[in-house]
Amino acid sequence: MSQRAGTLLRQAPRITLALMLAPVAAGLAGTIAPAFGLEGGPDLEAFRALAAWPGLGASVRLSLVTGFVATALALALTLLILALLPGGRLFEALLRLLSPLLAVPHAAVALGLAFLIAPSGWIARALSPWATGWQAPPDLLTLNDPAGLALIAGLVAKEVPFLLLMSLAALPQTDAPRRLMLAESLGYGRAAGWVFGVLPALYAQIRLPCYAVLAYSMTAVEMAMILGPTRPPTLSVQIALWMADPALAERGRGTAAALLQLALVLGALGLWRTGEILGRRLLLRAAAGGWRAPALDRVLRPLTLGGTALALAAVMLGLAGLGLWSVAGLWTFPNALPQSVSLRVWQEAAPSLARHAALTLGIAAAVAMAALALTLACLEAEARHGLSPSPRAMAALYLPLIAPQVAFLPGLQVAALSLGLDGTPMAVAAAHLVFVLPYVFLSLSAPWRAWDPRIGTVGAALGASPGRIFWRLRLPMLLRPVLTAFAVGMAVSVGQYLPTLLIGGGRVSTLTTEAVALSSGGNRRIVGAYALLQMILPAAAFAGALVLPALLFRRRRGLRLAWRA
């Protein structure tokens, strides 16, 4: 039995990769077949119908522009924060807010920002009494603007915490303090020294996360539905609308558009890679020219402080606005605050909220637990058998994040339909696992590998088996990172919109799908209640990750010191 368990553990990395890659491959195959009409012979009718759609050019342009601009801005702000803000109060506050910001689903951020910047939103209300004199919402297109500016702002606010987390995990491998000290001793400004000394080593570590951000920004559905243009929408939103249409002809056009979206993402990644090569050459030329730019810090630091503070304020005020609208009574424009506060919306929607919250929590907990078990098996296999992930394995780990959801989920929906598995919570949970597993692995791998192996050696010298070392030493000492990874998994699952919509077939309704569906209506109070509850579930998981280890091991000072380290 022990030998069989050891063999299974050794195969855990391969099993995990198969569970992530098989659905992507099956989904792509299921998308290609209807698009080309391969079920009844080759046919390009779906592509002809797609080409005849009058909004195709505008949708493609929107997808490309919003994706590139949002990714470039998010990456630039992340790098400026890392280069210029460490050691300051804003940086420390940002680190404390990093996990809570990551826990907030994309739809909740989009809804909060929409409530903030809408013509009747909080900003217009706050300005009206003393600056503008507006007595009615102004005729300004601050939301769903044709250029996608609101969508870009939402994407930047949500993706900066992700890139910052990935960068902070990779930064210790760059030997940044000594590189910066050497650059400053040679007369380089902090920004220039960081760009020449640290950025090349850091970017090599965060290239795949940047690709994932670019792919998501081009193909986001829930954020684009809430913040993006509507006439026409981005290509990913239009694909989701076609795939939800009961007419089979529209589904065929949707699968053709999904393949076009995949081609656009691959082309965009190629262009981004070309930009990396050009950027490297410019960097080498600037370094060879002795460009030190000490005065640049005085210009970039205020911009970085302002951009970071603006992004944080937009997210926090937007989320606060969601909470306030959920309990608002009468709130007429241009009043900055509601005239009364009431729990009527919560009371009336309590049965529906409880039903959707229970289903959301059940799916998220099951998916996060499965992802955590697979991740622990992979990492323990690495430790016991001396395995190390190859670059190809890491690329495969990011594949579900880089491959557009709208490219393979339609095919996965077709496969689920043919097998009779669509419209069930189990099928939705299986689809969520494809996206949750990479995040859980990335969250837990660094602290797991940083555990001092000498502790295990001492345990083995005292006669402990590998299993006993795992259960009695490694797992208790790493309980907080393990629970944090579980909370990350729950947050990712709670925020999944398109997999729930397509694989659930409209019969599995979670807090996220309901919040997005209700966002097109005019009742901000009920939308605020759904979005607030959508935030509370992952926030509770993160709170448990902080509190539970402290309660379980409150008498063990050594463990507390290890957690702080």
Side-chain angles (χ1 to χ4, degrees):
M1 183 68 180
S2 177
Q3 184 177 1
R4 181 182 296 179
T7 303
L8 187 62
L9 183 65
R10 191 180 183 89
Q11 297 299 320
R14 294 182 179 179
I15 295 172
T16 302
L17 285 176
L19 288 174
M20 286 191 300
L21 300 183
V24 177
L28 289 174
T31 301
I32 292 172
F36 286 96
L38 297 182
E39 295 159 349
D43 184 6
L44 298 179
E45 185 59 36
F47 289 94
R48 295 191 190 98
L50 175 63
W53 182 54
L56 182 61
S59 287
V60 168
R61 184 175 62 252
L62 277 170
S63 298
L64 289 171
V65 170
T66 55
F68 271 109
V69 174
T71 305
L73 289 177
L75 178 61
L77 184 56
T78 300
L79 297 180
L80 286 172
I81 290 171
L82 292 172
L84 298 174
L85 297 189
R89 293 182 179 179
L90 184 60
F91 187 75
E92 296 298 326
L94 189 60
L95 291 183
R96 287 193 294 270
L97 290 172
L98 194 56
S99 291
L101 289 176
L102 284 171
V104 180
H106 288 82
V109 172
L111 288 168
L113 190 60
F115 284 8
L116 193 65
I117 67 174
S120 60
W122 218 350
I123 292 178
R125 291 170 182 269
L127 292 175
S128 296
W130 58 275
T132 63
W134 289 327
Q135 295 301 313
D139 188 16
L140 298 174
L141 200 58
T142 54
L143 189 62
N144 307 122
D145 59 288
L149 298 179
L151 175 59
I152 291 171
L155 289 169
V156 170
K158 190 66 180 76
E159 297 305 337
V160 165
F162 171 71
L163 286 177
L164 189 58
L165 178 66
M166 295 294 102
S167 301
L168 289 172
L171 205 56
Q173 304 174 44
T174 64
D175 196 18
R178 285 195 291 181
R179 292 181 183 226
L180 283 174
M181 186 182 300
L182 178 61
E184 290 176 1
S185 69
L186 295 174
Y188 286 89
R190 183 171 180 86
W194 197 91
V195 167
F196 291 134
V198 180
L199 179 58
L202 176 64
Y203 189 79
Q205 302 291 327
I206 65 170
R207 176 180 286 115
L208 288 176
C210 288
Y211 291 172
V213 169
L214 176 59
Y216 177 81
S217 298
M218 288 182 60
T219 61
V221 175
E222 64 271 33
M223 294 195 81
M225 281 185 169
I226 298 168
L227 297 173
T230 56
R231 296 182 179 179
T234 61
L235 186 59
S236 57
V237 172
Q238 189 60 50
I239 292 170
L241 296 175
W242 279 331
M243 294 307 300
D245 197 297
L248 293 179
E250 296 300 329
R251 292 198 176 195
R253 181 156 54 175
T255 54
L259 291 181
L260 174 60
Q261 182 76 82
L262 177 60
L264 288 174
V265 170
L266 293 177
L269 292 174
L271 286 175
W272 188 271
R273 179 59 182 155
T274 303
E276 292 175 358
I277 296 172
L278 293 176
R280 181 176 180 273
R281 291 179 180 177
L282 290 174
L283 199 62
L284 289 173
R285 183 174 298 181
W291 187 70
R292 286 171 167 79
L296 190 62
D297 296 351
R298 293 194 294 270
V299 177
L300 290 181
R301 186 174 174 81
L303 292 177
T304 305
L305 286 169
T308 306
L310 182 62
L312 282 175
V315 174
M316 302 307 292
L317 286 174
L319 299 180
L322 290 177
L324 189 59
W325 268 108
S326 71
V327 295
L330 180 64
W331 193 355
T332 58
F333 192 92
N335 294 315
L337 294 174
Q339 286 93 316
S340 61
V341 174
S342 171
L343 295 176
R344 181 178 59 84
V345 170
W346 287 91
Q347 294 170 349
E348 292 178 353
S352 178
L353 286 169
R355 184 174 66 255
H356 290 113
L359 182 59
T360 303
L361 180 61
I363 292 175
V367 172
M369 186 60 70
L372 184 61
L374 290 168
T375 299
L376 289 174
C378 290
L379 294 173
E380 184 64 10
E382 286 184 15
R384 291 193 192 184
H385 302 291
L387 305 176
S388 59
S390 65
R392 289 184 179 180
M394 292 305 298
L397 180 67
Y398 276 95
L399 183 60
L401 307 183
I402 296 175
Q405 290 186 3
V406 293
F408 68 90
L409 281 176
L412 206 58
Q413 180 192 30
V414 173
L417 278 168
S418 61
L419 296 174
L421 299 177
D422 68 306
T424 63
M426 186 65 69
V428 171
H432 283 198
L433 182 62
V434 177
F435 306 101
V436 170
L437 190 51
Y439 284 102
V440 173
F441 189 91
L442 292 170
S443 299
L444 186 57
S445 57
W448 193 270
R449 291 166 182 158
W451 186 72
D452 192 344
R454 293 176 297 178
I455 300 173
T457 303
V458 172
L462 295 174
S465 64
R468 188 174 179 84
I469 292 172
F470 173 80
W471 290 106
R472 301 301 297 272
L473 291 176
R474 189 189 289 262
L475 196 59
M477 293 183 71
L478 295 173
L479 183 59
R480 179 165 291 176
V482 168
L483 292 178
T484 301
F486 176 80
V488 168
M490 284 198 62
V492 174
S493 177
V494 168
Q496 292 299 313
Y497 172 75
L498 195 61
T500 308
L501 180 69
L502 294 184
I503 307 302
R507 298 191 294 276
V508 179
S509 297
T510 62
L511 291 172
T512 299
T513 58
E514 285 298 301
V516 175
L518 292 168
S519 65
S520 59
N523 193 338
R524 292 185 179 182
R525 293 165 179 81
I526 188 64
V527 174
Y530 270 94
L532 188 62
L533 194 55
Q534 186 193 21
M535 291 187 294
I536 289 174
L537 293 184
F542 276 99
L546 294 175
V547 174
L548 189 59
L551 292 177
L552 291 177
F553 303 114
R554 59 187 179 276
R555 299 181 185 275
R556 299 189 183 184
R557 180 175 177 272
L559 282 176
R560 293 202 300 272
L561 292 177
W563 292 334
R564 293 193 187 103

